[in-house]
Every structure is written in structure tokens, then in C-alpha cells.
């Protein structure tokens, strides 16, 4: 008998901005990206995606403008194409979307570099309560100097140091979410008391970067710790992911290039005592699908014709930190000795997967990034795209995909109309949520009752279970005193 096929996780990748990985596309007549500040738009999108059984809407977020290109600190190339600017905070819209739906999850990006853990823990507990346990935190350490400057720094905190801070940050949030309120502090409160005062305790965290006495100001939410997503692929990023993430978001040009990252994360997770296959890995892709390969290619060309090239180069500047504005239009970066090695290596990487003879100058780079950013693009009929997705799962060992859009909601509507039926026909995508009305963690992991962190997750160390006088972690004394 043949093995049952791996069921795919499918997310919609979005941003609360008129443009995400599609600078300029707000000008395309069908695009509704400019409605990002209308709550009814988000509620309707959530309902549409839930009807199609998407696992989650996953919101990227940034805290500054892409101002490196033709910079420094220049947003002129960024603003005309609405290149991730302006951008609203995604968290506020989640309760409204949750009220309009019952099973779809909501991933929200938030940075460990610019907000205190006490504040973030409160916000996520609030939204986890109001969404009935359907929120995920995409933990990022951020990458834009423009954000750093707006938070009062001259430049960003050094890369690996940001991850060291993030480790301690997570420890603080675990203590607040898992170890500050006993599981039954509210449900088994003494008569006449809202909660059991003996079931709420200080966390007294005193670390290198944070001092947080607690207690957590919110009562326990369904998931306690929101489902934890992570995106970041440096060595420090992979170690962080293998330690903390329950799901990981990777970008990659080809399945072959993504595989080593997947292997490395799963191997490290195993070393940390976690089940490597329990970590869900999703790849970011742009899918343009239509009845036939020809129609899909025509659609892609049409969409790309609305793209804003300057915006694409601004994205490149923000992501890489390098300003291509300094170079001539037709200079090929593969052979340019004066270009930073990181730029040459990035461009060589793309060139190795594109037709021979392509010149890699600013125009090609802009066209390469204009739709779908730095993720792979699959353009074709339902069969072509589904074949390629199957190949990704096999070659890259990923568990699913974050589908970005060229035009919203059209790209998702095309996926719903053309691709999902083909995936279902092949037994690759569910007909309904594993746990309708359940929490995000239950639906992501496909197991009813899996609402809390698993026992092998580092956050589980901080659980304060019913019946325990104090949580087990707090019994470990520091300097002879209880923590
Ligand atoms: C696929 C992917 C998506 C990301 N999305 C965001 C995002 O929405 N907001 C953000 O600030 N950083 C985002 N990041 C950046 C990372 O979280 C991280 O801060 C950055 O990549 C630097 O870490 P690294 O060197 O380990 O990749 C993303 C990274 C990847 C790989």
C-alpha cells in the first residue's frame, strides 16, 4: 500500500499595507490592497480564506520605511509604489476577523528588538482570548536601520546580539504566559473571589536585558503561549528557530536550495530534545495559476506590467542593506568588483537558476523582485503548479506554503478556484479544519486537544499546573531564595 501523502499547510501571506511583495500593484484595477485600512475588507478576506480552509492568514510587518535605495534615509523611491509603506499594525484587526470566522488562524509578526516583553505578552494574551486561541506570533528580530533610528538608536543592534536578546525575551514571555497564573487560578477560584490570589504570582525575572517582576497582567488565554512562528535563516536564526519555533517560515528560490536549511533546523531541534518532524516548515511562494500554462503566463505578464521598478529596488535596499542606486543601469553585478560581496553572491545565486545569458543589472534585479519578492514563483496550470508543490515537499521536506499575492484578493481567489481543487483531488489538502472551531495550535498540528505548547518545548518548563503550589521552575532556587 502506498504511504498516505503529507497534508499541506496553506497560509495566505499578507501585510496591512496597500503593497506587500507587489510594489505598484495597487494601480492594477482588480487590486484591493488600498482597502487595507477598512476593517470590513479584512473581515471579508478572512471569511473567504476560511471558506476555502486556509490554515491561517500570516501577516508580515515592519517598523520602518525602506529608505536605503538612493539614500541614505530616502523614501522617495518607496512611496509612489506603496512599497510596504504606509503600513498599519496587524494585531488590532485580528479580533474583528476572528469575530467574522471560527476556525482560521492569524499569524502576526512582532519584533523582540523594539517592544518590551511585558507589553507584547499582554497584547498577545488579549488577542488570544478575543480570538478563542487563534493567534500565532511570528517572532522576528527585525532588519531595518530606519526602524532602529525611530526607536532612538543610531543603528541596529548587532545581528547575533539581537538573537541573544530574543532568547531572554522568550524566557520572560514564557514565564508570564505559562508560569504566572496557575492553570485553574480563575476556574477554581475560592468562593466570592474572581481568581485565586494564591494562583497568581510574580515571575521576578532579572536577566541581562530585562527586569520584569510580573505578575502577568492578563488571565490565562486558551493557548497561553500563542503558537510560535519564526522567520530568519542565519546560523543564529536557525538555532533560535530550532529552540523556540513551532513553525518556521523560509524563503527560497528552489526546493534544492531550501533543503539544507530545513535539514539543519530539524537536526538542531533533535539535539535540543524536540521532535524534528513536529516543527512545521512552510516556504514562501508566489503562485499565479490559471486554466492553462499560457493563460497563467499571460496573467503574470499583465500583473508585472503594473509593478513599480523603483519600489522593487527599494525592497532590495531594505532587505540587503545595500543601495543599488550608486551603480549604473547596465552594470552586471555578477562581474562587478566594486559591488559588495554579499550583493554579488545574492545575484550569482539567482543567476544560477535563470536562463544562461541573462544580464544581472538593476533592471533584471527589479524584475526579479517585483512580484513575490525573494520567494520562488510558480506560474502555470493547476497541474503544473500542483506538480511543482509536490516536488517541493519531497525535495525540500517542507510541510506547506505561505502564498503571497501579486494582486489581492485575486491571487488567492485564483488559488481557491484552480489550485485547491487539484490539491484535494491528489489527497494533499484537507476538506475541513482538523478541529473546526479549535485553536490555531490544534489546527496546525492537526490534533484535537493540542492547545498548549508540547511537553518537549522549552516553554513547557514554565507550566504552572492545577494542584501545584508554585510552578516547578520556580522551585529551583537562585542564591538560596525562591525565584
Ligand atoms: C521568510 C522570511 C520572512 C520574514 N518576515 C519578516 C517580517 O515580516 N518582518 C520583519 O521584521 N522581519 C522579517 N523577517 C526577518 C527575520 O525575522 C530576521 O529578523 C532577519 O531575517 C534577520 O535574521 P536572519 O539573519 O537570521 O535571517 C523575515 C525573514 C524571512 C526569512
Amino acid at each position: 500500500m502506498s504511504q498516505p501523502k503529507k497534508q499541506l499547510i496553506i497560509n495566505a501571506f499578507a501585510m496591512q499595507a496597500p503593497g506587500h511583495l507587489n510594489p505598484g500593484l495597487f494601480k492594477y484595477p482588480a487590486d484591493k490592497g488600498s482597502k487595507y485600512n477598512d476593517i470590513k475588507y479584512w473581515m471579508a478576506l478572512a471569511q473567504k480564506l476560511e471558506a476555502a480552509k486556509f490554515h491561517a492568514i500570516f501577516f508580515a510587518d515592519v517598523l520602518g520605511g525602506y529608505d536605503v535605495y538612493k539614500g541614505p534615509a530616502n523614501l522617495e523611491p518607496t512611496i509612489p509604489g506603496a512599497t510596504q509603506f504606509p503600513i498599519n499594525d496587524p494585531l488590532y484587526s485580528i479580533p474583528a476577523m476572528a469575530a467574522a470566522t471560527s476556525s482560521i488562524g492569524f499569524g502576526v509578526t512582532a519584533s523582540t528588538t523594539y517592544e518590551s516583553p511585558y507589553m507584547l505578552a499582554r497584547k498577545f494574551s488579549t488577542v488570544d482570548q478575543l480570538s478563542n486561541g487563534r493567534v500565532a506570533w511570528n517572532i522576528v528580530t527585525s532588519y531595518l536601520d530606519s526602524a532602529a533610528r525611530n526607536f532612538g538608536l543610531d543603528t541596529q543592534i548587532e545581528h547575533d546580539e539581537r538573537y541573544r536578546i530574543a532568547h531572554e525575551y522568550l524566557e520572560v514571555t514564557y514565564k508570564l504566559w505559562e508560569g504566572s497564573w496557575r492553570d485553574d487560578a480563575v476556574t477554581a477560584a475560592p468562593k466570592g473571589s474572581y481568581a485565586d490570589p494564591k494562583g497568581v504570582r510574580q515571575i521576578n525575572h532579572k536577566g541581562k536585558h530585562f527586569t520584569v517582576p510580573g505578575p502577568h497582567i492578563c488571565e490565562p488565554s486558551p493557548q497561553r503561549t500563542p503558537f510560535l512562528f519564526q522567520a530568519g535563516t542565519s546560523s543564529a536564526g536557525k538555532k533560535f528557530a530550532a529552540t523556540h519555533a513551532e513553525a518556521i517560515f523560509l524563503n527560497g528560490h528552489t526546493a534544492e536550495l531550501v533543503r539544507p536549511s530545513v535539514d539543519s533546523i530539524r537536526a538542531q531541534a533533535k539535539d535540543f530534545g524536540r521532535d524534528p518532524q513536529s516543527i512545521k516548515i512552510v516556504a514562501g511562494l508566489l503562485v499565479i495559476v490559471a486554466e492553462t500554462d499560457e493563460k497563467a503566463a499571460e496573467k503574470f505578464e499583465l500583473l508585472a506590467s503594473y509593478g513599480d521598478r523603483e519600489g522593487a529596488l527599494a525592497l532590495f535596499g531594505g532587505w540587503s542593506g545595500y543601495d543599488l542606486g550608486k551603480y549604473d543601469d547596465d552594470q552586471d553585478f555578477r562581474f562587478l568588483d566594486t559591488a559588495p560581496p554579499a550583493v554579488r553572491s545574492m545575484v550569482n545565486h539567482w543567476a544560477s537558476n535563470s536562463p544562461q545569458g541573462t544580464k544581472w543589472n538593476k533592471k533584471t534585479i527589479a524584475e526579479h523582485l517585483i512580484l513575490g519578492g525573494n520567494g520562488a514563483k510558480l506560474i502555470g496550470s493547476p497541474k503544473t503548479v500542483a506538480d511543482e508543490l509536490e516536488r517541493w515537499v519531497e525535495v525540500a521536506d517542507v510541510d506547506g506554503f505561505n502564498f503571497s499575492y501579486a494582486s489581492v484578493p485575486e491571487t488567492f481567489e485564483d488559488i481557491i478556484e484552480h489550485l485547491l481543487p487539484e490539491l484535494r483531488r491528489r489527497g494533499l489538502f484537507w476538506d475541513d479544519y482538523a478541529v473546526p472551531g479549535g485553536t490555531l495550535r490544534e489546527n496546525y498540528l492537526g490534533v484535537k486537544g493540542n492547545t498548549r505548547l508540547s511537553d518537549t518545548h522549552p516553554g513547557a518548563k514554565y507550566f504552572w499546573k492545577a494542584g501545584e503550589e508554585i510552578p516547578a521552575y520556580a522551585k529551583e532556587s537562585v542564591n538560596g531564595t525562591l525565584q
Side-chain angles (χ1 to χ4, degrees):
M1 245 177 57
S2 64
Q3 287 265 45
K5 291 184 175 173
K6 198 191 249 183
Q7 291 288 300
L8 295 178
I9 289 170
I10 294 187
N11 300 322
F13 188 37
M15 191 174 243
Q16 301 225 348
H20 181 201
L21 297 171
N22 59 345
L25 265 286
F26 72 91
K27 290 173 285 181
Y28 173 66
D31 188 72
K32 296 210 168 66
S34 312
K35 291 200 177 292
Y36 76 103
N37 45 17
D38 175 351
I39 191 67
K40 295 222 165 65
Y41 161 77
W42 289 113
M43 290 157 75
L45 182 65
Q47 286 172 329
K48 189 178 292 234
L49 295 169
E50 176 166 276
K53 316 297 177 193
F54 275 61
H55 284 68
I57 313 180
F58 184 108
F59 289 105
D61 193 27
V62 286
L63 298 170
Y66 286 72
D67 64 355
V68 173
Y69 176 57
K70 295 188 176 170
N74 182 12
L75 285 174
E76 267 183 45
T78 301
I79 291 171
T83 309
Q84 303 194 3
F85 189 96
I87 173 166
N88 284 350
D89 185 325
L91 199 58
Y92 294 96
S93 63
I94 306 302
M97 284 191 264
T101 56
S102 57
S103 301
I104 193 166
F106 306 98
V108 176
T109 297
S111 175
T112 51
T113 306
Y114 300 117
E115 183 170 3
S116 80
Y118 179 71
M119 191 74 179
L120 179 136
R122 182 188 194 213
K123 290 181 178 180
F124 274 86
S125 290
T126 305
V127 175
D128 201 52
Q129 289 178 21
L130 297 178
S131 66
N132 229 344
R134 285 191 282 145
V135 71
W137 173 24
N138 178 35
I139 310 162
V140 298
T141 53
S142 300
Y143 55 87
L144 289 166
D145 268 336
S146 61
R149 289 195 300 273
N150 280 302
F151 285 88
L153 304 170
D154 292 335
T155 181
Q156 292 186 79
I157 298 168
E158 190 272 326
H159 178 276
D160 285 11
E161 178 67 0
R162 297 203 299 273
Y163 276 108
R164 282 189 287 275
I165 294 170
H167 277 289
E168 189 185 330
Y169 196 110
L170 268 285
E171 193 189 330
V172 177
T173 56
Y174 296 144
K175 287 178 183 172
L176 291 168
W177 282 321
E178 305 289 349
S180 185
W181 287 65
R182 205 181 59 222
D183 280 346
D184 62 349
V186 178
T187 53
K191 206 160 183 273
S193 180
Y194 181 75
D196 181 356
K198 293 199 164 31
V200 184
R201 68 188 304 280
Q202 310 279 110
I203 61 165
N204 287 333
H205 178 89
K206 283 198 190 74
K208 182 161 179 224
H209 305 286
F210 303 105
T211 298
V212 184
H216 189 31
I217 195 170
C218 302
E219 66 179 82
S221 70
Q223 298 185 109
R224 310 291 199 277
T225 299
F227 190 72
L228 297 178
F229 245 100
Q230 190 270 359
T233 42
S234 59
S235 306
K238 285 196 282 249
K239 181 171 174 225
F240 182 86
T243 308
H244 301 281
E246 300 176 272
I248 292 161
F249 176 24
L250 300 171
N251 254 343
H253 264 250
T254 66
E256 288 76 5
L257 291 170
V258 165
R259 179 63 186 246
S261 286
V262 172
D263 284 347
S264 148
I265 290 166
R266 294 207 202 274
Q268 289 189 65
K270 191 158 179 253
D271 290 346
F272 296 143
R274 303 181 63 197
D275 169 7
Q277 292 304 325
S278 74
I279 298 179
K280 303 296 174 194
I281 302 188
V282 299
L285 296 179
L286 174 68
V287 164
I288 301 295
V289 60
E291 287 93 341
T292 62
D293 287 346
E294 295 71 31
K295 282 193 178 165
E298 274 168 29
K299 181 78 170 272
F300 181 80
E301 291 308 319
L302 173 69
L303 289 160
S305 71
Y306 286 87
D308 185 301
R309 271 74 190 148
E310 290 287 281
L313 293 173
L315 285 177
F316 181 90
W319 289 330
S320 68
Y322 296 111
D323 176 7
L324 296 188
K326 294 181 186 147
Y327 301 94
D328 292 341
D329 283 351
D330 58 357
Q331 277 179 313
D332 189 324
F333 289 93
R334 283 174 305 166
F335 311 115
L336 197 63
D337 291 340
T338 52
V343 172
R344 288 180 61 184
S345 122
M346 230 177 303
V347 169
N348 272 309
H349 184 76
W350 297 335
S352 65
N353 293 297
S354 59
Q356 291 262 322
T358 309
K359 223 177 156 193
W360 279 91
N361 53 23
K362 278 197 289 196
K363 184 164 176 285
T364 338
I365 292 176
E367 266 152 26
H368 180 70
L369 297 177
I370 210 147
L371 294 179
N374 199 14
K377 302 176 219 319
L378 308 186
I379 301 160
S381 67
K383 179 180 180 313
T384 303
V385 174
D387 284 351
E388 187 56 16
L389 293 179
E390 282 209 60
R391 207 183 69 77
W392 264 81
V393 171
E394 196 179 309
V395 175
D397 188 28
V398 294
D399 300 285
F401 303 97
N402 258 4
F403 289 138
S404 64
Y405 53 78
S407 167
V408 62
E410 193 183 76
T411 302
F412 297 138
E413 287 167 349
D414 289 341
I415 287 171
I416 292 166
E417 183 184 345
H418 300 294
L419 179 62
L420 296 190
E422 177 66 19
L423 295 179
R424 290 198 168 103
R425 208 179 53 70
R426 296 178 184 209
L428 291 170
F429 189 55
W430 61 15
D431 290 322
D432 199 359
Y433 292 92
V435 187
T439 60
L440 194 156
R441 188 170 279 114
E442 286 176 304
N443 275 310
Y444 240 77
L445 304 178
V447 184
K448 192 170 166 60
N450 263 15
T451 289
R452 306 280 303 271
L453 288 172
S454 85
D455 287 343
T456 55
H457 188 281
K461 187 165 108 197
Y462 302 96
F463 285 173
W464 187 4
K465 296 184 180 149
E468 290 176 347
E469 195 185 334
I470 57 171
Y473 86 90
K475 288 186 190 143
E476 294 160 18
S477 66
V478 173
N479 301 329
T481 53
L482 285 184
Q483 273 204 86

